[in-house]
Amino acid sequence: MTDALTLHSPTKLLDALCTCIEKDIHPLSEAAVAAGSKLFGAAILLKSDLSVVYADTNQERGSPLWHGETWTLKQFFEIPVDKRPDVKNCLFLTTHEPCSLCLSAILWSGFDNFIYMYTYEETHNVFECHGDLDIFNDVFNVREGEVARQASLDGLVSQVRPQYKLRSSRLVALSFAELLAAIVDKEERSTYADKVEGLKRSYGRLSEAYRRNMSSKENTII
Ligand SMILES: [Zn+2]
């Protein structure tokens, strides 16, 4: 397994990932939300040059199983085998930290990584989509509110225990926040933070239609 950060600088990764969300995923999400689906999207990129192999978006209007990630995986595996890159040579990009269904689907498909822009907490609090955290808390053996104490230079700080192992022999999960934090130059970090915020604002603009869709589906999601 190779960590994306060992292959590319955080700025090169953020450039490619932000461009992919802006140019490839967001237009699809915009159309899907207008047609009644939710706004989560995903893409598969080559680790080597960060080119986009396939990008798609949530298709829950067709089936509750077609989250952005699961639909993207389904479509990716419909590419003829002789034209489809090995998943071990690919990065999995997702706009939102993958739910338990999608996290498992990514791993069962053979990927050893994913990179996400919005955290579970943002999905829960900003988009008011509570299923991701609720399923972890209610079904899996994750105890809500459990905190782990972590030493820091300022003393002890409390952090909520992650819902899954962020680094293991099977998986490296990276957030955009971690990529931003890995940029050493302060000014450059600030420029890229603005870039990510701009992208998030474009998703914020989809949220009104998204909320309408979500409330009409509230009986079908947890
Ligand atoms: Zn999902």
Side-chain angles (χ1 to χ4, degrees), residues 40 58 60 64-70 96-103 132:
F40 310 105
N58 181 290
E60 277 190 42
L65 293 180
W66 296 140
H67 292 191
E69 300 94 322
T70 48
H96 296 64
E97 191 169 14
C99 72
S100 48
L101 166 70
C102 295
L103 193 156
D132 295 2

Side-chain angles (χ1 to χ4, degrees), residues 7-75:
L7 293 171
H8 302 288
S9 68
T11 52
K12 190 172 178 194
L13 277 169
L14 280 167
D15 271 329
L17 302 176
C18 287
T19 301
C20 175
I21 293 179
E22 183 188 352
K23 307 282 187 204
D24 297 292
I25 301 175
H26 188 274
L28 297 172
S29 299
E30 200 166 24
V33 167
S37 287
K38 298 217 286 285
L39 52 68
F40 310 105
I44 293 162
L45 297 88
L46 286 182
K47 286 179 179 175
S48 56
D49 62 4
L50 301 177
S51 57
V52 179
V53 178
Y54 189 76
D56 218 315
T57 194
N58 181 290
Q59 297 292 341
E60 277 190 42
R61 198 168 63 113
S63 159
L65 293 180
W66 296 140
H67 292 191
E69 300 94 322
T70 48
W71 179 255
T72 296
L73 288 166
K74 174 200 173 288
Q75 297 295 88

Side-chain angles (χ1 to χ4, degrees), residues 2 9 26 29-30 34 55 58 81 95 107 115 124 136 168-169 173 177 180 185 194 201 204 206 211:
T2 313
S9 68
H26 188 274
S29 299
E30 200 166 24
N58 181 290
V81 69
T95 54
L107 287 170
I115 307 179
H124 193 88
F136 275 118
S168 72
S169 57
L180 287 171
D185 184 85
D194 289 347
R201 277 197 296 279
L206 291 183
R211 279 168 210 275

Side-chain angles (χ1 to χ4, degrees), residues 112-138:
D112 60 15
N113 70 86
F114 58 79
I115 307 179
Y116 58 94
M117 181 167 69
Y118 287 105
T119 63
Y120 288 138
E121 289 72 23
E122 288 174 300
T123 301
H124 193 88
N125 297 324
V126 179
F127 293 94
E128 296 179 14
C129 184
H130 302 148
D132 295 2
L133 282 179
D134 286 355
I135 288 176
F136 275 118
N137 289 324
D138 297 344

